[in-house]
Each structure stands twice: as structure tokens, then as C-alpha cells.
Amino acid sequence: MSNLQISNPKGAILNSGLRTVEDVLKIKGLPSIAKMALLNNKMKLVIINWLMEVNEFMNLKKGMTEGQIVLAATTILEDYNSLNTADLALFFKNLINGKYGNMFESFNNQKLCDALDLYVESRLEYSVSKSQSKHNRFTSQEIQGTFLEDKKREKKRSN
């Protein structure tokens, strides 16, 4: 995802092509938003722009106020800074589509954090599952290799 897309939240959310956490994790080399914030002192403004777009997309009777949006951006930078921009694009797309529950015509920092926690949990679960699957394949191959080596040794001894 290029910087142009990062500065264009609507485009990043609508046209990211991201559908799952797996899609996000396939993108290699994206820096975390913490790292981006160190390189670009305007990262908070970028996140504010994303939150403003999301607030507008959700078309709620009581969206976030400007102050709540600034607080939410600060919270994301401080508490969810290990995420990257692909994570944010997928998260906000899912949020808009109601995947973290109905916002019941209002949106605030607590609802945002609850939804972010669900996203982070699903990301972690996917990573653990993938790691466990790799471990199982390796262990299975290792056991099979040992079994075959043992059979070869037995055959040599019997000859």
C-alpha cells in the first residue's frame, strides 16, 4: 500500500482488495504505524483523516465528535501501534460493514477500542493457527523421516 493510499483513506478502505487477516499478513514489508509515526510526524493526522472518513461512511445519528476522533487517533497510535496500514484498511472496512457488531446509531472511542480488540484477537488467532500448522507439518515430516531412517537401519541389520 503506497503513501498515496495511506493519505487517501476512502480509496484505501474501498479499494484495498483486502478481505481477510490472511490477506493483510501476505503483504510483506509494511511498517507498523508506530514506525511510520517515527518517520512521519503527521501520522496522527493521517489516522484522524481515516477516522473522519469512517465516521462519515457509517452515517450514524451520533458519530464521533472532533475531540473523540482526536482521542481515538491518539489511542490507536499509543495502544494499537503494532498494526500497519493494511490492518487499518481491513479493520475500518470491516467496521463499516458491521463485522464488529451494530453500532446502534452511535460511535465512540469505547466502541472503536472494543472493535479493534476483536480485530487484534482475530489477527493473533490466525497467526497462532498458521504457526501451529507449520509446526505440525514440520513435526510430521520429522517423525516420518525418523521412521524411514529407522526402517532403513533395520533392513541393513537384517541383511
Side-chain angles (χ1 to χ4, degrees):
M1 194 173 291
S2 70
N3 285 335
L4 178 63
Q5 290 173 315
I6 292 167
S7 63
N8 177 5
K10 189 180 288 186
I13 293 166
L14 294 177
N15 303 315
S16 68
L18 301 170
R19 294 180 296 134
T20 65
V21 169
E22 181 180 11
D23 293 339
V24 169
L25 295 176
K26 283 180 182 176
I27 302 172
K28 302 293 181 204
L30 278 181
S32 67
I33 58 174
K35 188 175 242 181
M36 291 180 74
L38 290 174
L39 299 172
N40 178 359
N41 61 359
K42 296 181 181 176
M43 193 61 200
K44 186 173 183 177
L45 290 174
V46 169
I47 294 173
I48 287 171
N49 285 335
W50 282 55
L51 287 164
M52 289 171 55
E53 285 293 335
V54 169
N55 204 37
E56 187 177 317
F57 265 117
M58 292 173 54
N59 197 28
L60 302 166
K61 285 184 181 178
K62 188 171 185 208
M64 294 178 100
T65 65
E66 286 182 31
Q68 288 172 320
I69 288 173
V70 171
L71 175 61
T74 302
T75 301
I76 290 170
L77 279 171
E78 291 176 356
D79 299 344
Y80 301 94
N81 58 9
S82 63
L83 300 176
N84 60 45
T85 54
D87 285 308
L88 291 181
L90 179 61
F91 167 73
F92 286 133
K93 179 180 176 181
N94 288 344
L95 182 70
I96 290 165
N97 289 325
K99 293 197 177 181
Y100 305 111
N102 189 334
M103 294 297 141
F104 298 106
E105 299 190 18
S106 69
F107 188 51
N108 58 38
N109 204 35
Q110 180 183 352
K111 289 180 180 182
L112 175 74
C113 289
D114 288 346
L116 272 164
D117 289 343
L118 290 173
Y119 176 81
V120 169
E121 185 178 322
S122 71
R123 192 182 198 280
L124 181 62
E125 285 173 2
Y126 177 82
S127 296
V128 167
S129 172
K130 187 161 177 104
S131 178
Q132 185 64 46
S133 178
K134 281 183 182 178
H135 172 75
N136 291 346
R137 275 196 311 272
F138 176 78
T139 304
S140 174
Q141 289 171 352
E142 189 176 84
I143 290 170
Q144 286 177 350
T146 302
F147 177 75
L148 291 174
E149 291 299 318
D150 289 345
K151 287 293 184 189
K152 286 179 186 176
R153 276 189 234 121
E154 283 177 26
K155 191 174 186 179
K156 283 182 181 179
R157 279 188 228 148
S158 65
N159 288 335

